[in-house]
Amino acid sequence: MASRRRLLGRLAGAAGLAGLAGCSQFRGTGDRATPLDLPENPNADLPSRQHAWNAVSRSDRHGNPQLPRHHLVLLLDLAESPSVETAERAERAMRTLESAYDWSSDGLLHSITWGTRYFERVGELDSAPVRRPQVLSRTDDPELLEFDAALVLASDAVSNLRATEAAMFGARDSLAGESVDARLGDAFDVAERRTGFRGAGLPLEHTDAEGVPENPPLSEGDRMFMGFKSGLQGTQASEDRVTIDSGAYAGGTTMHVSHLRQSLGKWFEAFDADERVARMFSPEFSADDVAGFTDDVPFSDDVTRHAREFDVVGHQEKVAQTRKDGEPVLLRRDFNTVDGGHAGVHFLSLQRSLSEFESTRKAMNGWYVRDDSPEITDRENNGILNFVTVRSRANFYVPPREKRAFPRL
Ligand code: HEM
């Protein structure tokens, strides 16, 4: 991995030589001024939305879409100035992934997304639907990261992720029988990698990570380190709901990626199953109630009363405060990780507007119930806040497939 300083040096050099840094040539004034000189995409049957994963995902027996089991997010810095030629190579590289693998959990789900650094470079940060990440709680001091782009990859086969990374950023010259003649690595350097998993048995395979106590009460069926099912249909925004519906960025969505570190000693050792349910969902539920949830969480929407009556409030009931017309506004595609040897979550969420992520995260802080119970502090008895620390945040725009290469260039 190249150091950020070296990359910035290279980039500044390249931009300077070409006389392009900050040049108005990069200021998009509508759709791409110069269309890419490429033949029609042979994979034209794929959905326009890069974030349309649900229809091709496995579902559980209640119809809840299941994320692929393995995830890799490559956070990218541009190594050369944006140009139409670079965009053409990036588009050809993405088409190689599409031709190599089925658009499915067995094959590969992917999206190329664009960060605040990129939009600043092309002079569009003010009009783009992304903005720099912010500190969103008074107990966390995350790194506020900025990248040019992120390649999001997910598959049930971890080998597909490794092969894709080697083809896009290494020297691998064929991918599942497709020859690789354009790589994202021609234009980008990998600044950081985020790896992880979501699925039955996977947390149990990683209990040696820091932050997980000895012999946690996790079973083969558990899909997440904290031991609950997540992503029930009724608690997720639909792909339609998160899609930007008008303007230059229509058809795309926004993506927030944060890294949360988990410390689960007390979670498993100080609390029994019902106490964990109170903190994850709401004190109105028992562990048996939660075991019976199928595709929704039938919460009573009474956080303040719960704070007064039980001196504890749940994560789900707090974040559900930002639903609009009863519908959630975030489509969560988060996954567990042991990056850095420590248990955690890469919280990846899609939403029409990043302000919806920010208001949901503020609802998770639970400041509004602090006066209702002296037992509820910034972290204690306040959902799952006592067990997570936010390490970093970054924001991206996810364009529709046909505009995915260097949008607004
Ligand atoms: C360690 C980190 C986290 C874990 C283990 C976790 C777990 C869960 C679980 C188990 C649920 C309820 C069941 C379901 O998803 O169907 C839920 C709901 C939800 N979570 Fe989280 N979560 C985490 C972090 C976050 C963060 C950082 C946010 C965003 C600010 C968030 C936003 C939501 C939302 C919006 C819902 C659905 C609320 C509704 O029903 O409307 N979660 N989460």
Side-chain angles (χ1 to χ4, degrees):
M1 237 182 273
S3 82
R4 175 168 292 257
R5 180 165 305 181
R6 182 174 69 75
L7 291 171
L8 291 178
R10 271 170 56 188
L11 188 61
L17 274 179
L20 295 173
C23 164
S24 61
Q25 181 177 347
F26 293 140
R27 259 167 231 142
T29 50
D31 275 337
R32 183 186 301 290
T34 321
L36 301 186
D37 186 15
L38 291 175
E40 208 168 298
N41 185 353
N43 310 297
D45 54 331
L46 296 182
S48 161
R49 293 174 188 170
Q50 292 195 85
H51 58 284
W53 291 15
N54 288 354
V56 292
S57 296
R58 284 175 289 106
S59 296
D60 68 10
R61 67 196 166 96
H62 303 294
N64 301 302
Q66 303 292 290
L67 281 174
R69 286 170 67 78
H70 300 284
H71 298 255
L72 175 63
V73 178
L74 298 170
L75 300 163
L76 307 176
D77 284 335
L78 265 169
E80 59 180 65
S81 295
S83 68
V84 170
E85 202 264 324
T86 320
E88 284 169 359
R89 264 184 289 144
E91 175 59 24
R92 280 168 46 223
M94 294 307 293
R95 290 181 186 185
T96 305
L97 304 190
E98 287 168 349
S99 301
Y101 295 113
D102 281 349
W103 177 249
S104 70
S105 295
D106 289 342
L108 185 71
L109 297 176
H110 49 79
S111 53
I112 179 91
T113 72
W114 299 85
T116 39
R117 168 87 44 81
Y118 170 78
F119 284 104
E120 187 169 33
R121 257 186 230 301
V122 297
E124 290 282 330
L125 189 54
D126 290 344
S127 60
V130 283
R131 52 173 170 246
R132 296 194 177 91
Q134 301 170 15
V135 175
L136 294 169
S137 77
R138 55 188 177 208
T139 52
D140 292 300
D141 184 19
E143 269 191 274
L144 302 176
L145 299 176
E146 295 202 59
F147 299 98
D148 285 302
L151 179 67
V152 179
L153 302 171
S155 175
D156 283 344
V158 74
S159 56
N160 291 358
L161 303 185
R162 301 285 166 261
T164 301
E165 183 177 13
M168 289 295 109
F169 297 96
R172 191 184 173 111
D173 56 13
S174 83
L175 191 61
E178 282 294 311
S179 85
V180 177
D181 50 12
R183 304 173 195 280
L184 292 175
D186 295 343
F188 295 99
D189 289 297
V190 176
E192 294 189 29
R193 300 170 81 248
R194 305 275 193 261
T195 72
F197 49 87
R198 167 68 90 94
L202 294 171
L204 203 55
E205 280 177 27
H206 292 92
T207 50
D208 55 346
E210 277 178 64
V212 182
E214 290 231 337
N215 303 316
L218 290 170
S219 68
E220 274 295 334
D222 281 314
R223 297 160 184 279
M224 301 203 314
F225 271 136
M226 294 186 88
F228 290 101
K229 271 199 269 181
S230 182
L232 302 182
Q233 254 182 96
T235 70
Q236 291 276 52
S238 66
E239 287 168 351
D240 281 349
R241 177 64 183 75
V242 302
T243 301
I244 298 169
D245 50 10
S246 61
Y249 297 90
T253 185
T254 72
M255 177 174 88
H256 176 79
V257 183
S258 39
H259 181 188
L260 279 64
R261 185 170 267 194
Q262 290 175 300
S263 302
L264 302 176
K266 191 172 170 199
W267 176 250
F268 286 122
E269 284 159 3
F271 300 124
D272 64 21
D274 284 341
E275 287 167 321
R276 288 196 288 274
V277 163
R279 284 159 182 79
M280 183 61 86
F281 290 88
S282 147
E284 73 190 296
F285 298 127
S286 67
D288 285 343
D289 294 329
V290 169
F293 295 166
T294 54
D295 59 1
D296 205 353
V297 175
F299 68 112
S300 65
D301 198 5
D302 216 347
V303 187
T304 314
R305 185 175 61 80
H306 293 162
R308 284 198 299 266
E309 212 170 292
F310 300 101
D311 292 321
V312 55
V313 290
H315 167 67
Q316 188 271 342
E317 63 176 343
K318 280 185 297 171
V319 285
Q321 300 298 304
T322 53
R323 286 186 179 197
K324 286 190 187 138
D325 302 324
E327 207 194 323
V329 293
L330 264 53
L331 174 51
R332 293 161 289 133
R333 289 188 170 150
D334 55 291
F335 49 88
N336 273 133
T337 184
V338 293
D339 283 351
H342 206 287
V345 169
H346 290 305
F347 189 82
L348 189 158
S349 74
L350 306 176
Q351 48 281 310
R352 188 173 289 162
S353 157
L354 282 165
S355 62
E356 292 170 324
F357 171 75
E358 290 154 4
S359 56
T360 306
R361 185 56 183 83
K362 286 178 185 165
M364 182 170 163
N365 290 333
W367 291 331
Y368 48 93
V369 290
R370 289 281 309 281
D371 293 339
D372 295 305
S373 163
E375 302 298 313
I376 299 177
T377 70
D378 278 347
R379 294 173 79 81
E380 297 273 346
N381 302 313
N382 195 344
I384 55 175
L385 291 174
N386 214 9
F387 314 98
V388 295
T389 315
V390 190
R391 309 270 299 161
S392 66
R393 300 192 178 285
N395 291 332
F396 301 86
Y397 165 63
V398 189
R401 196 176 300 266
E402 57 279 8
K403 294 184 183 170
R404 68 186 156 187
F406 290 74
R408 309 286 287 160
L409 180 59

